[in-house]
């Protein structure tokens, strides 16, 4: 079951205060970067939910986000229905699509699961690319943002929109924690560790996988609807498989199965990308090498590494304390 | 149009040509997977490197120099990758391998951009294979026929080596049960290395062969990767039969889909893949039952 250690609470508090500080002090460009981080963070929380806690390494989450973005745009721009309904529709539709994908892929494992999800992502990509109502390669523009005028908030202002995304991320994170602590989440981790045993215990394994995949898809759909509102323009590139690959990279960079780590990873990835692309056009080379280095070091990403160090320190303290050594010595040692 | 024999001949040849190109790529990938349980997403990047090496070598000494040396050069890159990365990643799970090779895609993509620039290169077909020939009532480019013949020849050679020679028997034993094969005195590690290099060389060969048909761009490796993966997943991992069957299915569905049902063409192959995964999650002809 997912638990918040002290370190996780500290990291969450730190990240939240950094985001709030950035939201209230940064200028236009800083706010755009912050919003980009927040939206990516939602996507990677969704991905960590299935990959880190269910062993379902999905290469279609970028495409699911794209489905959310296109659903939102189609309903709000093409059909002219209010953005609030459009957002709800986008989340529901993406969740349903993800549930079906999860149900179909639930029998596949390991590399076959990765390939199968990749295929579904590509299917959505080519469909969006070819279908005339989605504007093809040109994409769709003129996407409205949610109207929160009745609360006195104007989301067309970058600062308000960044704060709105921060609130949405908070809600998404809370929902992910609730899912993991529910019976469904516990069944999921059981399935990840020993699928046969869970089946023998009478669990309908494919339903658990499909349900969690669907919930994760809803989060990805929300991220997509917000991404469409953020850029106010969408193109099929949003659904390309490399976007899903990048999301997986962020999860790994941050720390798989820690839920907090991917948030750290999202911030690190977007900042690295912006800093590097300002220096060199070959920033992919650096990202690729960093990724290879992180995976080969066998640490569980940035946060996983910190957590391991922290845990080792706590163990050492505990060992020292039980040896009844002098308290000063413990402090010096630590 | 569909009642014309020429139409069917032309589309069949187009489908065969696409299938053979995919076969050259997928056979390396699938045998590497079957033998080593290693997922190499960077296989497409090796194909792009083959095209680039071919174009550069052809600019120096003509097409045939590129044709023969580009696979060797790509095999050289394969040796570097094997000793630097892949040997160490052998025992990791599929996710770590997917990620490391995904990182490799990024790195190799930018390396080709640094060395060869962003502009597309062109590689002309050799004079010997230039022009068209009348074939069953259609005029067909000789070069494309050459690709078909080359693919079939490689298929024949691999079928012979895998099915009739000692090294082929060793490879099949390794795919089947590598620990048992090692117990019987086969140097499985060396076998892996050889197979990996041959797979890389075939990817390079596919690249240099494809170069005159397409333009040589840094993204060509990414574009071919998904079709190659579809081929090996439909066909089943690890077997020659799966690779050729998957390539044929992909080539024919894609080509005939594009001319007979253009609205459906793009999702047809993915729908087929989904159907295969639902009915037979391990593909049509997996190496292991």
């Amino acid at each position: 079951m997912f638990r918040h250690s002290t370190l996780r609470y500290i990291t969450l508090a730190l990240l939240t205060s950094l985001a709030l500080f950035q939201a209230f002090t940064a200028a236009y460009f800083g706010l755009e970067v912050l919003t980009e981080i927040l939206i990516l963070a939602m996507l990677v929380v969704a991905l960590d939910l299935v990959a880190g806690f269910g062993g379902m390494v999905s290469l279609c989450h970028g495409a699911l986000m794209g489905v959310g973005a296109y659903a939102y745009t189609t309903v709000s721009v093409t059909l002219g229905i209010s953005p609030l309904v459009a957002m709800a529709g986008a989340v529901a539709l993406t969740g349903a699509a993800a549930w079906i994908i999860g149900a179909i892929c639930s029998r596949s494992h390991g590399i076959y699961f990765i390939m199968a999800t990749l295929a579904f992502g590509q299917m959505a990509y080519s469909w969006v690319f070819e279908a005339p109502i989605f504007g093809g390669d040109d994409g769709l523009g003129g996407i409205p943002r949610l109207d929160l005028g009745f609360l006195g908030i104007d989301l067309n202002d970058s600062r308000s929109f960044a704060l709105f995304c921060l609130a949405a991320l908070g809600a998404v994170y809370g929902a992910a924690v609730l899912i993991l602590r529910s019976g469904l989440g516990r069944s999921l981790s059981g399935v990840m560790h020993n699928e046969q045993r869970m089946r023998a215990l009478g669990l309908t394994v494919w339903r658990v996988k499909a349900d969690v995949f669907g919930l994760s898809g809803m989060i990805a759909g929300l991220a997509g609807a917000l991404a469409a509102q953020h850029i106010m323009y969408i193109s099929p590139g949003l659904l390309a498989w490399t976007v899903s690959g990048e999301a997986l990279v962020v999860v790994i960079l941050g720390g798989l199965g820690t839920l907090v780590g991917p948030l750290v990873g999202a911030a690190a990835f977007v900042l690295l990308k912006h800093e590097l692309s300002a220096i060199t056009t070959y920033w992919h080379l650096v990202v690729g090498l960093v990724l290879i280095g992180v995976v080969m070091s066998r640490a569980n990403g940035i946060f996983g590494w910190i957590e391991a160090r922290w845990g080792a320190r706590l163990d050492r303290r505990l060992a020292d304390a039980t040896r009844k050594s002098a308290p000063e010595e413990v402090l010096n040692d630590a | 149009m569909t009642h014309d024999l020429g139409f069917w001949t032309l589309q069949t040849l187009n489908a065969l040509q696409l299938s053979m190109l995919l076969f050259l790529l997928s056979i390396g990938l699938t045998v590497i997977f079957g033998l080593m349980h290693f997922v190499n997403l960077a296989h497409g990047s090796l194909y792009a490197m083959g095209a680039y090496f071919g174009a550069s070598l052809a600019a120096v000494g003509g097409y045939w120099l590129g044709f023969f040396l580009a696979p060797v050069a790509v095999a050289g890159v394969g040796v570097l990758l094997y000793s630097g990365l892949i040997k160490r990643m052998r025992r990791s799970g599929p996710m770590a391998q997917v990620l490391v090779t995904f990182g490799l895609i990024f790195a190799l993509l930018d390396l080709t951009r640094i060395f060869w620039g962003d502009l597309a290169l062109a590689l002309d077909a050799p004079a010997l294979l230039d022009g068209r020939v009348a074939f069953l009532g259609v005029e067909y480019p000789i070069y494309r026929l050459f690709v078909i013949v080359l693919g079939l020849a490689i298929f024949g050679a691999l079928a012979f080596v895998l099915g009739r020679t000692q090294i082929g028997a060793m490879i099949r034993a390794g795919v089947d049960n590598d620990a048992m094969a090692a117990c019987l005195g086969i140097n499985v590690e060396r076998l892996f290395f050889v197979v990996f290099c041959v797979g890389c060389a075939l990817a390079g060969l596919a690249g240099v062969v494809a170069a005159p048909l397409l333009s040589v761009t840094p993204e060509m490796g990414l574009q071919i990767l998904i079709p190659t993966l579809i081929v090996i997943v439909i066909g089943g991992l690890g077997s020659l039969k799966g690779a050729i069957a998957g390539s044929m299915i992909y080539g024919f569905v894609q080509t005939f889909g594009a001319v007979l049902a253009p609205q459906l063409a793009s999702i047809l192959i993915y729908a087929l893949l989904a159907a295969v995964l639902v009915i037979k999650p391990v593909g049509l002809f997996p190496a292991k039952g």
Side-chain angles (χ1 to χ4, degrees):
Chain A
M1 194 187 93
F2 179 76
R3 277 193 193 86
H4 276 113
S5 60
T6 320
L7 179 65
R8 288 182 181 181
Y9 277 125
I10 294 174
T11 315
L12 274 181
L14 202 66
L15 285 173
T16 317
S17 37
L18 277 176
L20 282 171
F21 177 74
Q22 179 79 358
F24 283 109
T25 56
Y28 176 74
F29 184 69
L31 289 169
E32 292 300 300
V33 172
L34 176 66
T35 312
E36 197 183 330
I37 293 175
L38 294 171
I39 291 172
L40 181 64
M42 279 178 234
L43 178 67
V44 296
V45 164
L47 185 56
D48 198 24
L49 197 60
V50 289
F53 298 92
M56 296 185 278
V57 182
S58 153
L59 266 184
C60 69
H61 264 63
L64 287 175
M65 179 166 101
V67 168
Y70 268 91
Y72 174 77
T73 309
T74 310
V75 176
S76 67
V77 177
T78 317
L79 303 179
I81 297 170
S82 91
L84 194 65
V85 179
M87 263 180 97
V91 170
L93 182 88
T94 318
W99 191 89
I100 294 169
I101 295 175
I104 294 176
C105 298
S106 61
R107 282 173 65 200
S108 310
H109 296 96
I111 189 66
Y112 288 97
F113 188 89
I114 300 179
M115 295 297 151
T117 50
L118 179 64
F120 282 108
Q122 283 297 109
M123 197 156 138
Y125 171 74
S126 17
W127 187 54
V128 164
F129 198 92
E130 310 253 320
I133 56 158
F134 299 126
D137 204 9
D138 296 336
L140 295 167
I143 301 165
R145 286 186 181 172
L146 203 60
D147 184 15
L148 291 181
F150 58 92
L151 293 174
I153 302 169
D154 177 21
L155 285 185
N156 286 318
D157 172 45
S158 303
R159 190 169 322 253
S160 315
F161 192 70
L163 286 168
F164 177 67
C165 286
L166 182 61
L169 176 62
V172 160
Y173 184 86
V177 172
L178 283 181
I179 293 168
L180 288 172
R181 286 187 179 165
S182 69
L184 181 68
R186 292 171 198 223
S187 312
L188 182 74
S189 56
V191 168
M192 177 168 83
H193 291 119
N194 193 336
E195 191 169 323
Q196 276 187 322
R197 185 191 295 158
M198 294 310 283
R199 197 170 284 129
L201 286 171
L203 191 77
T204 317
V205 168
W206 73 267
R207 268 301 293 272
V208 172
K209 287 185 167 182
D211 287 351
V212 177
F213 212 82
L215 288 167
S216 165
M218 287 171 80
I219 298 177
L222 177 68
L226 288 173
Q229 294 178 44
H230 176 218
I231 323 230
M232 296 177 168
Y233 161 79
I234 51 172
S235 68
L238 214 58
L239 285 90
W241 76 276
T242 42
V243 178
S244 310
E246 271 178 13
L248 201 55
V249 167
V250 171
V251 172
I252 298 304
L253 207 63
L256 181 77
T258 59
L259 219 55
V260 183
L263 303 177
V264 179
F269 184 80
V270 174
L271 292 177
L272 191 70
K273 190 172 92 175
H274 280 286
E275 291 302 313
L276 285 174
S277 55
I279 306 168
T280 165
T281 50
Y282 302 116
W283 65 274
H284 270 121
L285 179 62
V286 183
V287 171
L289 293 178
V290 167
L291 176 65
I292 294 173
V294 168
V295 178
M296 292 199 61
S297 73
R298 288 172 200 265
N300 185 14
I302 305 171
F303 189 74
W305 182 75
I306 297 173
E307 215 164 39
R309 293 289 298 265
W310 177 278
R313 200 182 120 177
L314 287 184
D315 286 350
R316 215 165 43 235
R317 272 193 179 184
L318 202 66
D320 287 346
T322 45
R323 255 191 274 125
K324 293 195 174 62
S325 49
E328 303 88 47
E329 201 186 321
V330 176
L331 285 175
N332 291 340
D333 196 37
Chain B
M1 151 181 111
T2 46
H3 296 292
D4 177 18
L5 179 69
F7 165 81
W8 293 102
T9 319
L10 188 69
Q11 296 309 334
T12 307
L13 286 173
N14 281 342
L16 268 178
Q17 181 251 308
L18 177 61
S19 304
M20 287 308 142
L21 202 59
L22 284 171
F23 170 71
L24 288 181
L25 270 165
S26 51
I27 183 63
L29 195 56
T30 194
V31 174
I32 289 170
F33 183 86
L35 193 60
M36 304 165 60
H37 306 284
F38 189 86
V39 193
N40 186 11
L41 287 189
H43 208 71
S45 306
L46 294 169
Y47 156 87
M49 296 203 101
Y52 271 105
F53 281 129
S56 295
L57 288 165
V60 180
Y63 176 83
W64 294 108
L65 184 75
F67 179 82
F68 287 110
L69 285 188
V72 179
V74 176
V77 175
V79 171
L80 290 180
L81 289 182
Y82 187 87
S83 46
L85 285 176
I86 287 158
K87 211 171 169 180
R88 282 175 226 178
M89 298 304 296
R90 284 271 323 282
R91 300 281 163 222
S92 323
M95 193 172 68
Q97 296 170 347
V98 163
L99 285 162
V100 162
T101 51
F102 190 69
L104 261 183
I105 292 180
F106 278 169
L108 290 176
L109 183 71
D110 268 1
L111 283 176
T112 47
R113 284 172 64 207
I114 289 170
F115 283 120
W116 283 287
D118 284 327
L119 294 177
L121 296 182
L123 174 59
D124 291 326
L128 182 66
L129 301 174
D130 216 9
R132 290 162 168 271
V133 66
F135 183 78
L136 290 177
V138 290
E139 291 266 303
Y140 204 70
I142 303 176
Y143 188 77
R144 286 174 184 256
L145 285 178
F146 165 71
V147 174
I148 297 174
V149 172
L150 180 75
L152 290 174
I154 300 270
F155 172 67
L158 287 174
F160 175 76
V161 170
L162 285 172
R164 296 268 178 274
T165 62
Q166 194 183 5
I167 185 148
M170 281 152 73
I171 292 172
R172 279 182 289 129
V175 171
D176 222 34
N177 188 337
D178 56 343
M180 186 60 83
C183 286
L184 291 172
I186 297 171
N187 189 340
V188 181
E189 288 297 320
R190 205 176 62 202
L191 203 62
F192 286 160
F193 178 66
V194 171
V195 167
F196 187 79
C197 291
V198 172
C200 292
L202 285 174
L205 181 68
V208 67
V209 165
L213 301 171
L214 318 158
S215 61
V216 183
T217 61
E219 286 81 27
M220 67 188 290
L222 270 179
Q223 286 156 4
I224 202 77
L225 179 65
I226 303 291
T228 312
L229 292 175
I230 292 177
V231 164
I232 65 169
V233 174
I234 288 183
L237 291 168
S239 74
L240 182 70
K241 205 163 131 194
I244 190 82
S247 307
M248 289 291 193
I249 291 171
Y250 188 96
F252 278 83
V253 168
Q254 196 71 347
T255 310
F256 281 96
V259 289
L260 296 179
Q263 305 84 358
L264 286 176
S266 58
I267 60 166
L268 206 57
I269 191 72
Y270 300 111
L272 183 72
L273 175 62
V276 168
L277 281 168
V278 170
I279 299 160
K280 278 197 84 173
V282 286
L284 296 176
F285 303 105
K288 287 183 221 179

